[in-house]
Amino acid sequence: MNGDRIIRVEHLKKYFPVEKGFLERLLTRTRNYVKAVDDVSFSVLKGEVFTLAGESGCGKSTTGKLIVRLIPPTSGKIYFNETDITKLQKEQLRITRRRLQIIFQDPYASLNPRMKIGQSVGHPLEIHGIAKGSEKRKKVLEILERVGLVPPEQFMNLYPYQLSGGQRQRIAMARSLILRPEFIVADEPVSMIDVSLRTTIIDLMLDLRKELELTYLFITHDLAIAKYISDRVAVMYLGKIVEMGSKQEIFTNPTHPYTQALLSAIPVPTPERKKKTLELKGEVSSAINIPPGCRFNPRCSYSTDKCKKTEPELIETTKGHFVACYKAEA
Amino acid sequence: MGDSSTKKSMLSRLVPLLTSLARRGLAGWFIAIGLIMVIAIVAMTLLAPWLSPHNPSAIETGPPLSPPSSQFPLGTNKMGQDMLSRVISGGGIMIQVALLSVVICMAGGVPIGLLSSYSGGTLDRILCLIMDSIYAFPGLVLAIAIALMLGRGVVNMALSIAVVYVPSYFRVIRSQVLSIKEMAYVEAATATGAKGHTILSRYILPNVIPSIVVVATVNFADAILTAAGLTFIGLGVSVDIPDWGYDLTVGRGLLTTGVWWVIAFPGIMVVLLALGFTLMGEGLSELWNPRLEQ
Amino acid sequence: MIQKPQHLLTVEGLTAEYCAQRGRIIAVEDVSFSLDKGETLGVVGESGSGKSTLGLSLIHLVPYPGRIVKGTILLEGQNVLKLGKEKTRDLRGRRISYVFQDPMTSLNPVERIKDHFVELIRTHEPKVTKADAITRARKLFKDVGIQPERIDDYPHQLSGGMRQRVMIALALALDPSIVIADEPTTALDVIVQAKILDLLKSLQNRYGMALMLITHDLSIVLERSDKIIVMYAGRIVEQAPSSTLYTHTQHPYSQGLLKSIPNIELEEQKLTAIGGSPPDLLHPPIGCQFWPRCQYIMEICKIKEPPLFKTGIDHLVRCHLYAGETSG
């Protein structure tokens, strides 16, 4: 794993306009936005597993989709191998897509129900004119075997409905991998799979990382899985990164109050643990009306006046460990 | 005879199809019964030259306006034509019109629906407006207006019905496409670099086809009834070809004099044909979108 | 002779199946267990385990085309399955209440929250006035930690966590003896999840009701229940007090499950998955249902389904590996 930055994201923002009724639009001037991603910057190093962790609505999935250019950013820049891919269009974008792929959360929705497995997995090869006919078939069989679907011939002519969730997820992976991408965004790839089967998929991802020299952006709400798979973790809250660092740092030395609360809330499979869930007031604010100052302050037990006025920057406290919190700076 | 051997081979393929349908529960029965009805009527019409006992157009085959008897099981009309022969041969125009209108409708409505909903934006808004306006019109009135403009004839009838029905395809396709567009497998296709037309043709269209088929069957049924209606008010085809619609018109006038058989039997045939298509549509709809999910 | 104290709930030999076009699925097979006042029972299982069907059976609400084939469910000595329509309706919400999985779709979107309570309370206790019902609701809101003013809101105005609290408040409104929570936290974020589970615990301490937690999350039941039932393909494969299940996991499936969940408190963890696929309920294997995925199979596993063997006080395992013990 070398230190090259394969992905660099700078001040990325994605605001979704809120649809208003006709009358409301007439009577009010202001436009409301859901600030799904609100100024996010980070880098992913080649060969690592970088995790974006957080609860639902924090913007992690949106960030993932922004990076693979599924949705256009409102502002900010995305660099792939130091090339600016933010504004690429049409043909150039298509070529870039070969190297940036995404795996989705829902194995039941990510495969075309009317395409046979062989067709689904082989289609990317057709799209980019890489292989046809028997050559294509060979590559499809190869990749199916690689993801653990053996014997591969058996799966070629099946339809998705004939397979289980775990198998479908492997096929989705095969489809992403057949183009030999360099970077893969995995958006909650195991949250809809049976618990006892999750590690097979995760271990597969880790094996493939070594074999095919991949880099992953792993998106999850499950910090326990994040701990198992990640090299580095960034915790997101309401569209911003609040803490970022190596796995070691984040899990043994969580500094941001939100991270601490998050970690204390995770169920641990040991009976009668004398653990107290850290008190967190209220609920997550709406992403339309983000509170002024630090967006976490309404729920924070350590909130001060400064916290309510100005938003803290993401600052490096120890080497490689970044926190956006005034308490941590002290 | 060539016809009976082709009939035999069609039947041999039909029987296993019907048995597999019957095993699919109530939906399957609907489709099976509907299918049988439609095939029977179409076959009857195709075989009319051999099946009808008399020449349906020959006047004074029997005494005019005679009620159903052993000689003329369905009676005779004002010109002494045998009603049984007319009923057997009279479906031709209707079926042609219905078929043609469905084909025109699909050829027009499907691509428009796909393109509009997939591209979105202003094009979609404008087309929606146009389609909703057409849809808001009572179908028969609009068909009459268009038929009046275009004149008589099978093609013109088909066209007027088609125009009325395009919005139905448009709406159904649009709602389907809008939901499919958001599905992960379409996003995945975009992420692998597929172009718009590829996504439409290989990812969206195949998933929309079940709905199209269902609309088509209802389209058929509606077209038959509209064709009958158009002929009823005199916008159909010329009088020398036997036609249920024409007989319906004439028969209505005769009702007041107690002559019920001229309108009744063609009427029943129209209903049966429309019903056959409707049953198929209902059955297919139930089969593909079952109401009882496990 | 000392009379054994009667349990609050005794389930004996419960079997339920679904008959659909594709075939017959046995969702729950020969399930027996008991539940006492103030106890928390965790029912854990993955897809095809039958845990949800089990929960619904307890209030006799298995949806068509499913049906309960045999067994008894004794609530305070009365067989739930033999009650008439009226009494069954009375049971639901009042003696046993059910918190459904998805708070989004379980509340009526066109009714205000207060109306949900009024309807519920007055259906079971017609003499209560609307005003009294609302007062009771406000008190429950305090108990579950929602501001009482929210009672006038519509469901869509509340967040997921709040809706789940409303569901819990509704479940408690009539002071039931048992609350069944079916995946109460799956649709929620982890912090809200922890709060909801804490809430259920404190309410239990206050009101003394029994709680049945149905979930796929083994961590939750290990952390929070007194005893646990592990289900696989409709059967109970292991049943034990939580601490015993953690320290003496016996059934290969339970072991596999425990080894596959990441424990955030452990440093370097080697996780292993259970090979194979979830059970195919349409074509179940002969013998033990788990044998296609088991590391320890013996010949007998493919032929005869193991009964539940008693391996300790309150510890039952359905596995031929423990055939030496007394059969329970």
Side-chain angles (χ1 to χ4, degrees), chain A residues 35-286:
Chain A
K35 299 186 179 165
V37 177
D38 200 4
D39 197 348
V40 160
S41 307
F42 63 90
S43 312
V44 181
L45 303 174
K46 194 160 173 9
E48 79 172 337
V49 178
F50 184 88
T51 298
L52 280 179
E55 298 178 302
S56 59
C58 69
K60 54 193 194 295
S61 286
T62 313
T63 307
K65 290 190 186 172
L66 283 167
I67 293 181
V68 293
R69 293 291 315 271
L70 267 180
I71 45 180
T74 306
S75 70
K77 288 208 186 296
I78 307 161
Y79 293 90
F80 176 58
N81 283 329
E82 296 305 327
T83 315
D84 186 349
I85 62 167
T86 329
K87 292 271 190 309
L88 283 186
Q89 290 298 321
K90 302 223 187 249
E91 201 49 37
Q92 285 184 310
L93 181 57
R94 280 186 68 233
I95 299 176
T96 315
R97 286 206 191 284
R98 285 176 59 173
R99 296 141 79 204
L100 295 163
Q101 282 298 306
I102 182 166
I103 300 172
F104 295 96
Q105 175 178 18
D106 188 350
Y108 296 90
S110 56
L111 295 175
N112 186 346
R114 308 236 161 233
M115 268 174 117
K116 290 190 196 162
I117 300 303
Q119 292 172 314
S120 269
V121 177
H123 197 211
L125 293 175
E126 270 179 54
I127 293 174
H128 293 273
I130 302 177
K132 284 203 272 217
S134 58
E135 172 79 28
K136 183 176 84 159
R137 189 186 151 86
K138 202 171 86 143
K139 286 187 186 283
V140 172
L141 289 170
E142 224 173 56
I143 197 74
L144 284 177
E145 185 150 5
R146 241 359 181 340
V147 299
L149 293 170
V150 275
E153 296 81 13
Q154 201 182 349
F155 290 91
M156 290 289 278
N157 287 321
L158 293 179
Y159 282 98
Y161 77 87
Q162 296 171 282
L163 303 169
S164 72
Q167 288 170 321
R168 278 189 243 209
Q169 204 60 313
R170 286 172 195 261
I171 289 167
M173 287 172 71
R175 181 181 54 192
S176 312
L177 293 168
I178 203 165
L179 290 171
R180 291 287 182 271
E182 294 171 43
F183 178 78
I184 296 192
V185 171
D187 190 355
E188 310 252 27
V190 292
S191 58
M192 290 185 71
I193 296 183
D194 269 355
V195 178
S196 61
L197 297 170
R198 286 181 190 178
T199 30
T200 38
I201 304 285
I202 300 273
D203 286 339
L204 175 64
M205 288 176 69
L206 290 172
D207 288 337
L208 288 169
R209 166 172 68 157
K210 258 187 260 148
E211 262 182 65
L212 303 174
E213 293 178 60
L214 297 168
T215 309
Y216 290 111
L217 178 70
F218 194 82
I219 298 173
T220 181
H221 67 275
D222 183 347
L223 279 163
I225 293 241
K227 188 172 184 196
Y228 183 68
I229 195 181
S230 329
D231 296 310
R232 285 195 303 142
V233 178
V235 178
M236 287 185 74
Y237 183 81
L238 224 50
K240 269 190 126 76
I241 294 180
V242 296
E243 187 161 6
M244 179 164 67
S246 70
K247 168 174 77 176
Q248 194 67 7
E249 276 295 305
I250 296 285
F251 285 96
T252 49
N253 189 20
T255 324
H256 196 284
Y258 178 62
T259 315
Q260 293 170 341
L262 209 52
L263 288 176
S264 77
I266 296 170
V268 182
T270 37
E272 301 151 2
R273 241 169 101 257
K274 294 285 177 272
K275 160 201 88 160
K276 177 81 167 60
T277 310
L278 285 178
E279 264 312 301
L280 213 53
K281 298 179 280 185
E283 309 246 329
V284 184
S285 325
S286 131

Side-chain angles (χ1 to χ4, degrees), chain A residues 194 196 227 269 273 280 283, chain C residues 46-47 159 195 246 264-265:
Chain A
D194 269 355
S196 61
K227 188 172 184 196
R273 241 169 101 257
L280 213 53
E283 309 246 329
Chain C
E46 302 177 301
S47 25
S159 70
K195 280 191 172 183
Y246 183 69
I264 203 154
E265 293 202 330

